[in-house]
Amino acid sequence: MMKYLAPTLLIFLILSCKSPQQWTGQGPIEVVPTEDQLIENQPYQDFDLGDGLFLSNKMEGGRLNDARRINDTLVEVQILPENQPINSSPWYAFKVWSEEEKPMWIRLTYPTTGFHRYYPKINKRGLFYKKLDSAAFHPHPKLMEDGTERIEFAEAKVWVSPDTLWISAQDFAGTGYVDRWKDEILEHDFVESINIGSSKEGRPLEVLKIGNADDQKMLMAISLQHPPEIPDFWL
């Protein structure tokens, strides 16, 4: 029996040692300028959907453009990007509460060019979020013209109650938290705040310089450049 096993084993070893094809890098990315595009600021408001159910985008980093009740157990929300064109996976973050504890389905829709990308995370207290149970999440994919699938909309089942529930694309740190962290860092003598410009709406853009050297060979760390990119900030 061994004389038949040995060649098979040899072939397996040769195949397993074959080098995989090397990744050649990412192809060119189309640059789409948005400097001259109008920013559509959302109104910050509470949505009274009747029967003691409320949604709200009045929170740091909140994004919820509209909400309406479909039936006793289903609510539909609309998520829009702040301008066009933009990455077609808009950020969302909002609060929900109810006068009575009960299950409720929330349908996340993207009525313009967007699609659902971020798996819902929930939070009742504290800074950190947790993923919604997979049994309570129903994505609805759509076949695109190029043959790929994208999630056109998604439905999430949550338990609502008088205790406010936060639902978000990612766990995140708001501007207030970042400002407090920045002030603590600036208490060190070797840290300096440098203004490098302003945003389109006139807010200052700062750099924290650590160390006194003017050497051009520096290590730069960028954090919270985009709302969902929170892991690097915690690191």
Side-chain angles (χ1 to χ4, degrees):
M1 182 178 293
M2 291 299 294
K3 65 180 181 180
Y4 295 106
L5 285 177
T8 305
L9 179 61
L10 178 61
I11 293 172
F12 173 76
L13 290 175
I14 292 174
L15 292 176
S16 64
C17 293
K18 185 178 179 180
S19 299
Q21 184 177 0
Q22 296 295 316
W23 185 59
T24 57
Q26 182 172 308
I29 299 176
E30 181 184 2
V31 177
V32 181
T34 60
E35 291 88 346
D36 298 330
Q37 299 297 321
L38 181 66
I39 295 177
E40 299 179 8
N41 290 316
Q42 65 175 356
Y44 285 95
Q45 58 184 309
D46 297 330
F47 297 86
D48 184 348
L49 301 185
D51 195 27
L53 179 66
F54 301 89
L55 277 77
S56 176
N57 60 10
K58 296 164 71 172
M59 55 187 285
E60 273 197 321
R63 191 69 183 178
L64 172 65
N65 299 90
D66 199 6
R68 66 189 184 100
R69 192 163 193 147
I70 304 299
N71 54 44
D72 290 344
T73 59
L74 176 62
V75 167
E76 182 179 272
V77 301
Q78 292 187 356
I79 312 297
L80 301 173
E82 65 180 13
N83 62 10
Q84 295 284 359
I86 200 171
N87 185 318
S88 55
S89 51
W91 165 269
Y92 61 88
F94 54 91
K95 301 182 290 187
V96 57
W97 67 93
S98 174
E99 294 176 355
E100 297 181 2
E101 184 174 358
K102 56 187 174 182
M104 182 67 64
W105 283 94
I106 297 179
R107 179 183 294 162
L108 298 156
T109 67
Y110 307 85
T112 57
T113 58
F115 65 94
H116 183 85
R117 178 182 177 187
Y118 305 115
Y119 192 96
K121 294 181 175 61
I122 58 175
N123 178 19
K124 283 209 169 180
R125 295 184 181 86
L127 191 62
F128 298 99
Y129 288 66
K130 67 177 182 179
K131 284 186 175 182
L132 185 71
D133 191 304
S134 59
F137 178 66
H138 289 180
H140 293 261
K142 178 182 180 180
L143 184 64
M144 311 301 291
E145 293 182 357
D146 60 2
T148 61
E149 278 192 349
R150 287 187 172 180
I151 301 177
E152 185 178 19
F153 65 94
E155 294 173 333
K157 183 180 182 181
V158 296
W159 279 88
V160 295
S161 71
D163 191 5
T164 301
L165 178 70
W166 284 261
I167 302 175
S168 177
Q170 295 279 13
D171 52 339
F172 63 95
T175 304
Y177 180 90
V178 175
D179 284 341
R180 291 191 295 272
W181 171 82
K182 181 190 69 175
D183 292 341
E184 291 179 3
I185 298 294
L186 286 171
E187 291 179 0
H188 298 284
D189 295 336
F190 53 83
V191 180
E192 176 186 3
S193 174
I194 303 174
N195 189 305
I196 60 171
S198 59
S199 70
K200 188 170 183 178
E201 294 188 340
R203 289 183 287 273
L205 302 176
E206 295 177 281
V207 164
L208 296 186
K209 179 184 175 184
I210 301 176
N212 298 319
D214 291 327
D215 194 333
Q216 295 301 309
K217 294 182 179 179
M218 297 183 179
L219 177 64
M220 177 180 291
I222 300 177
S223 180
L224 292 180
Q225 182 178 5
H226 302 126
E229 297 172 359
I230 191 68
D232 58 340
F233 178 77
W234 297 131
L235 294 176

